[in-house]
Amino acid sequence: MILLSSNYFSMQECRAADASDKPQSGNGMIVPSTTDAFPLPRRKPPIESAAAEKVSIDEPIFSKLNAIVDTISVLKAELEAKSKVLKKTNLEQEKTTILSEIDEINRTIKEQQNTFELIQTGGLDLAKIEDSSDKTFDWQKNLLEILQPVMNELHEYTEGKRKILELQNKIAFYQSQIDDSNKALEKMARINQDALEKKALDRFLLVKKKWENLLKDSVHQLDAAKIQLDGIRLLEREEAVSFTDQLKQFALGRGATILMALLASLFVFLILSLLWKGILWLVMRKQDGKMSYVQRIANLVFSAITVLLSIITVFIVLDLRGDQVLVALAVLLLIILVWALKNSVPRYIKELQTMLDAGPVREGERILYNGVPMKIERLNFFSKLINPAIPEFKLRLPLSELNNHVSRPYADDEPWFPCKPGDFVLLEDERCLKVRRITPEYVQLSLRNDSMPQMYAIQNFMEACPKNLSTGFIVASTIGIDYQYQQISTTDIPKIFQEGILSRMQHESYGQTIRDISVYFDQANSSSLDFKIIGTFDSAAAPDYYMIKRDLQRFAVDVCNQQQWTIPFNQLVVHRPD
């Protein structure tokens, strides 16, 4: 700081003159004036002061140096005078005051000497150069310096409100003092002063004078606070800006800066990402879409560089726009983000292992997700999972979710899903339904004519162990005849049943889908000889499953009627003693 004052004593005298000019209360206290106690809001410096500063800057160097030397001489003389006074005084309080003044003078002398050297060397600071090698890095201090523009902005933004609140509190305080002083003086007025002795009367008048002075001081301070509060509110009304104007100023100022920074960062991110994807496409098209270990490391490093350059772009744009407040806010947001993510480092390390194809899940292997087999087609920050049996069955999972599973290699002939849309499936409850739609969340089933659709959660559908009839199926039925045909039950009857049922079923709509009709002797039941009828059909007969199952019994009964075979029913035989 360059001090060009030619006389240190003149400043002290001015201060003393200012203090003598202030009004004093009855008890000898200096009562601050309205502008001293509550300074009105500062406005921009007048043009004259700016011109004076320009003259001071354009002043020849030798004049500045001479003025500084004169100031140092005056300060040293003042220092000697203070030292002599310090030796003579015996009061501790006065010694403390003088020592404080001596320290202030020494500090001023040091500043003047440094200023002289700075002017002489053209602005080079030797002390800064000498201390630079020994200076340790203090990240807390540097962080506070970065965030200082934000604090200054907030302080300036709330300064008016804080001053108004402070003045309102002062008004309430002084009003309370005035009320208390009036009450005390009213009570004093009721006391008969003529009855007091001389000493008591003197003491009484002294106390009364004290409260009267307090009342006057409070009234003065109250008026001063009200005047300044009115001045601040008047200034706010004069400088008030409508919300539309504020929004417009923000849009043209910091809003435009923020938009430019975000667009520039997004542009850098997209350009680098597209460039890297193009490079990977050129490299991997001869590798069947599979990445080597080195390529995975390169992909990870390039992704980190892309994010880093995008962040740096934001700071470059903010710095070019010269908005240090936004720079400080960006640094603060970055620190908060890093601090919030520090507890997630172990999880990120695990995800990095997965990205390098060295984790619990590997690219090209098989996992079970919600009970459904899925193939890991591509490992990335968002990995791609598919089901080869259903092309439209695709999932995109983050690494955090994928790391909860363990993959395994698979064989080429392993099934991936029990059915596909359009197939007919047989559930555990013997219902034959058509598969209309399959999604990662549900399977929709219906009757053969697409009526009565039903929704099954994908996991519940898999647990129901559905049988796919659209790859071919078998229908079995049982029929029993009377024991009177026991002699031919294992020889002629099965063949007669087979020929009769087959000939009739061939005339049905599904006749061309029959692969085989077989009839075997099953068991000798309690009241009948049972035969097992097994029909094998192609996938085209799946919609006729219920009809086929009925026809096997119907045509078996027709054969019995044609051959006049008795179909027994459960009988209860009662034996009576002779």
Side-chain angles (χ1 to χ4, degrees), residues 3 25 62 68 84 107 114 120 122 154 233 249 339 341 349 377 416 427 433 472 492 510 572 574:
L3 298 177
S25 63
F62 67 85
I68 293 174
K84 293 178 180 179
R107 185 186 64 80
N114 291 338
Q120 181 178 351
L154 292 175
R233 287 176 174 172
Q249 291 175 4
W339 185 265
L341 296 178
I349 293 177
E377 185 179 37
W416 289 92
L427 303 181
L433 299 173
D492 297 338
Y510 52 82
L572 178 63
V574 179

Side-chain angles (χ1 to χ4, degrees), residues 6 11 42 64 85 131 206 243 325 330 332 346 419 470 558:
S6 60
M11 291 189 293
R42 295 182 178 177
K64 298 178 182 179
V85 174
D131 296 341
L206 182 62
F243 177 77
V325 174
L332 184 61
C419 59
S470 298
D558 289 344

